[in-house]
Amino acid sequence: MRESYFRARRIRGNETMRRMVRETSLSVDDLVYPLFSAFGSGIMKEISSMPGIYQQSIEHLVEECREVQGLGIPAVLLFGIPESKDGVGSDAYSDSGIIQETIRAIKREVPGLTVITDVCLCEYTDHGHCGVIEDGDVDNDATLELLAKEALSHVRAGADMVAPSDMMDGRVAAIREALDNSGFSSVPVMSYAVKYASGYYGPFREAAESTPQFGDRRSYQMDPANRREALREASADIDEGADIIMVKPGLPYLDILRDLRNSCNLPLAVYNVSGEYSMVKAAAANGWIDEERVVLETMLGFKRAGADIIITYHAKDVARWLGRN
């Protein structure tokens, strides 16, 4: 047997060598931590389907933001649970709404932490859909005005970035125009450009209290069977002025993540969603998997597929594990 043929194990023999040739790296700088802000005080309610994740009133959420910043995580993504809901999601764009008050508190108490806000109406409407209902479905164009108002109200309260998740056609352009016309042309938009109608959102619906009261969201979220459509959706949002584009969910759509990485040069985010988180937590609680190893492998998978930013409920644990290594 000749000795010159390729032997992959030559560069796997010890940890120092493996570090030297490692192709993909994971950093705390890659992470965004989602948070659920609830109206009221003294609220610290664990979400039954998401162990370790809570609905929190503002004073508790601010304390968690201090912890997040102390771990080196650069940003949080805010979702709101309002005091009351109505047909047009009024609290979403109220100057005294739950998210607007939360932004002000974080900016006052935890300066330097980047605050990203989810822009959608589903958490604020009594019907649980992402926009204005007409004839039993969401009216796309009637919803755009409200989404633009919501984004503008978040930025006026101090948000550093807005992230529209509604999947209405044209919403990036509407939000970009509203921000630019109000003197906020420097505020970036991170678009949920590719958001599938997924079964992986179940635990989030409990966390955000946003389950649709009738029908489903398949008329505006993407069909999981479609791949090429993702490129069209992302291209449209880029043309409308998106600064960052996102794929949601993460693990079942790594092919989409790679397609987008190959086709555009914008920063690319991925949302490691609630169902993905909860499955890992459940398996780990039963002793079926090594949680740390599986989570870090998952994060590397997102990075390897092309993600620059990972939105994940595992963020605090990942930051601790990376800091220990």
Side-chain angles (χ1 to χ4, degrees), residues 37-56:
S37 185
F39 178 86
S41 61
I43 299 168
M44 190 75 172
K45 179 184 176 184
E46 188 171 28
I47 298 155
S48 64
S49 56
M50 298 178 70
I53 306 298
Y54 296 82
Q55 291 180 347
Q56 303 177 75

Side-chain angles (χ1 to χ4, degrees), residues 33 44 56 60-73 110 113 316-317 319-320:
Y33 187 54
M44 190 75 172
Q56 303 177 75
H60 291 301
L61 188 142
V62 166
E63 284 302 311
E64 188 162 24
C65 283
R66 289 195 180 99
E67 180 187 10
V68 167
Q69 187 178 55
L71 289 167
I73 298 167
V110 197
L113 183 66
K316 292 196 300 181
D317 286 335
R320 293 187 187 102

Side-chain angles (χ1 to χ4, degrees), residues 262-285:
N262 290 341
S263 67
C264 80
N265 292 319
L266 284 185
L268 181 58
V270 65
Y271 202 140
N272 178 214
V273 299
S274 60
E276 298 169 57
Y277 171 87
S278 296
M279 288 191 299
V280 169
K281 284 292 186 181

